[in-house]
Amino acid sequence: MTKAVSDSFPVSDNVGRMQASSTLAAMQAAEALRAEGVDVVDLGPGEPDFDTPENIKQAAIEALREGKTKYTPTAGTRALQQAIIGFYERQFGATFDKAEVMGTAGGKQAIFNAVVSLCQAGDEVLIVKPYWVTFPEIVTFAGATPVFIDTEETGFVLKAEQVERAITPRTKLIILNSPSNPSGRVIPPAEFRRIIEVLSERKVYAISDECYLRFVYPPAEVYSAATLPPELRARLCIAGSFSKTYAMTGWRMGYALAPREWVRQMLKVQGHSTSNPTSISQWAATEAFNGAQESVTTMLEEYRQRRDWLIRALCEVPGFHCVNPEGAFYAFPDVRGCLKGEVKTSGELADMLLKEEHTVVTDGAGFGAEGFIRISYATSLDRLQEGVRRITRIAERLTK
Ligand SMILES: Cc1ncc(COP(=O)(O)O)c(C=O)c1O
């Protein structure tokens, strides 16, 4: 990666090499058009279109009324830690100690803490392509080197052999993300275990980003790395999030589950940067894990219906090829069949959709997968149908 040159500000080497978020850029483009009164179909969002469930909001209101508005321990309140531990015990039969759990400002901060407390210049960090845009940037910030594993040959589902081939004596860490943003693909549990066994043999650390943990549609099954036996979790950090599951993106609540020494080091990073996650959000998150889960079930069923409709519809779009994603809320079609004439890259196709059809999709190149686009179905079925009509008009023209 080359360093961005700035004449007006003496940016540090590590931050200078970082790229601004391409997914946020798509959000801003949609916002600008909407402000002009244009009827935009926004298939860009990386966040649920549902409101935060009422019981969670009420817990926050009560916390506010009761004056729970002060600093908490950096790792979060005892109640939050207990809620996280209890959730993993009930759902996955996994036991964690308080010293292995910390609350964070979103899953993003958990990943940030985990990477910067472990990695430095000279270390290689394996990142699976296509990847969530933030992974390589955090690695770069830490001064380490991202090394990419391309998974196109296996339909974007990581295999243990691919990990084995990519490990070198400098490999310190791998970042896993299943269900994946952007592909929506899920690593089957048996394969996930084989991957961790390979890592364990080679003494490589792993972050399992489980931000979309519950977004798995039958027959695929919800799977957490927490179900692995303790010996396979010795170098594993789970990064979790309340953002997507409970439609809480703005509350900024996530958590990390890791061996106690890793947590101790992460607490130093967080303690000297942001300190505790917002106290009121912690009470909301505590209710999210302890309270009724019906709203989650309802939201997941709605996502499943949209996915089923969307994938079938995208398979009919000329020049598109789309596999069925088992999880998350994204479709990630291969659009190379449309890139033969007027438009040469997926970025140009995304630009054309925005300019000519006022439809926002995210260019796959930002996720390390040129030739693909990400379509979010965290939007109503009506808008999805309108979006696919607009995409089809452009695709028909490009494939004529
Ligand atoms: C793969 C992945 N991991 C982590 C996050 C972080 O989410 P948050 O910081 O809101 O918990 C996101 C959000 O888009 C994501 O897509």
Side-chain angles (χ1 to χ4, degrees):
M1 266 179 239
T2 52
K3 177 175 169 173
V5 181
S6 168
D7 292 334
S8 57
F9 181 75
V11 62
S12 68
D13 283 351
N14 290 357
V15 174
R17 277 189 282 262
M18 292 170 81
Q19 310 287 322
S21 169
S22 56
T23 47
L24 293 182
M27 215 161 107
Q28 280 152 10
E31 212 40 64
L33 273 178
R34 245 184 251 117
E36 289 170 24
V38 173
D39 172 27
V40 177
V41 176
D42 190 358
L43 306 177
E47 63 178 342
D49 55 322
F50 297 103
D51 195 7
T52 305
E54 197 50 38
N55 62 318
I56 297 174
K57 286 188 185 173
Q58 280 307 324
I61 291 166
E62 267 162 47
L64 204 54
R65 290 223 170 92
E66 289 167 12
K68 291 172 172 162
T69 53
K70 301 286 166 40
Y71 289 132
T72 74
T74 302
T77 63
R78 183 89 182 103
L80 174 70
Q81 287 180 305
Q82 206 46 58
I84 298 167
I85 291 169
F87 175 81
Y88 276 81
E89 200 150 30
R90 284 192 303 281
Q91 293 277 319
F92 304 110
T95 48
F96 288 95
D97 185 76
K98 179 173 167 288
E100 297 170 314
V101 184
M102 66 185 284
T104 57
K108 193 179 259 184
Q109 191 180 30
I111 301 162
F112 185 89
N113 289 341
V115 173
V116 303
S117 61
L118 181 72
C119 300
Q120 57 201 346
D123 290 335
E124 292 178 354
V125 178
L126 299 177
I127 293 175
V128 184
K129 267 186 179 181
Y131 47 77
W132 181 44
V133 290
T134 294
F135 295 150
E137 306 306 336
I138 295 179
V139 171
T140 300
F141 178 84
T145 307
V147 173
F148 298 101
I149 303 181
D150 204 316
T151 57
E152 194 181 338
E153 61 175 15
T154 50
F156 296 151
V157 181
L158 183 68
K159 295 266 192 280
E161 308 89 80
Q162 292 168 319
V163 175
E164 191 143 34
R165 280 202 300 272
I167 293 175
T168 75
R170 302 181 117 181
T171 309
K172 187 69 151 297
L173 171 74
I174 187 169
I175 306 179
L176 302 167
N177 174 221
S178 173
S180 151
N181 175 9
S183 74
R185 297 308 307 269
V186 168
I187 302 172
E191 194 61 35
F192 198 101
R193 187 186 168 115
R194 273 194 287 278
I195 291 169
I196 299 291
E197 282 167 354
V198 166
L199 296 167
S200 176
E201 265 163 40
R202 307 287 292 270
K203 300 195 166 26
V204 174
Y205 285 78
I207 295 172
S208 177
D209 174 355
E210 300 186 355
C211 170
Y212 296 92
L213 175 71
R214 311 270 282 283
F215 291 77
V216 175
Y217 310 108
E221 281 168 30
V222 173
Y223 172 79
S224 168
T227 50
L228 291 165
E231 64 278 13
L232 287 180
R233 286 197 259 126
R235 290 186 194 80
L236 177 81
C237 172
I238 292 173
S241 174
F242 293 89
S243 290
K244 320 280 175 173
T245 313
Y246 299 98
M248 288 176 72
T249 46
W251 299 75
R252 309 309 304 130
M253 271 308 304
Y255 53 91
L257 295 164
R260 58 177 61 210
E261 188 51 29
W262 201 349
V263 169
R264 207 169 73 79
Q265 301 304 332
M266 289 196 276
L267 283 172
K268 288 201 289 193
V269 176
Q270 188 163 303
H272 290 298
S273 50
T274 59
S275 303
N276 60 273
T278 305
S279 58
I280 302 150
S281 295
Q282 288 188 51
W283 287 102
T286 302
E287 169 62 20
F289 265 176
N290 287 347
Q293 303 291 307
E294 279 79 18
S295 51
V296 178
T297 315
T298 309
M299 291 190 277
L300 291 179
E301 177 51 21
E302 176 71 28
Y303 286 121
R304 189 195 59 76
Q305 286 176 19
R306 294 175 189 174
R307 180 204 62 165
D308 290 352
W309 181 84
L310 178 65
I311 303 303
R312 267 199 306 274
L314 288 176
C315 287
E316 302 289 312
V317 176
F320 277 41
H321 176 73
C322 194
V323 296
N324 198 27
E326 301 90 344
F329 43 64
Y330 308 107
F332 200 57
D334 179 347
V335 298
R336 286 174 292 195
C338 290
L339 308 180
K340 292 185 174 126
E342 201 182 332
V343 151
K344 295 275 184 289
T345 65
S346 44
E348 286 170 15
L349 175 63
D351 282 348
M352 181 182 260
L353 283 165
L354 183 65
K355 288 200 187 92
E356 297 188 17
E357 291 287 351
H358 303 142
T359 299
V360 182
V361 299
T362 313
D363 175 16
F367 306 103
E370 164 56 42
F372 291 74
I373 57 172
R374 190 188 76 174
I375 297 177
S376 163
Y377 50 90
T379 192
S380 71
L381 194 55
D382 264 11
R383 297 309 281 166
L384 276 177
Q385 287 170 338
E386 176 57 21
V388 171
R389 270 194 290 279
R390 295 180 186 195
I391 290 170
T392 305
R393 277 201 289 268
I394 292 283
E396 277 172 351
R397 200 173 94 202
L398 293 175
T399 51
K400 243 190 209 134

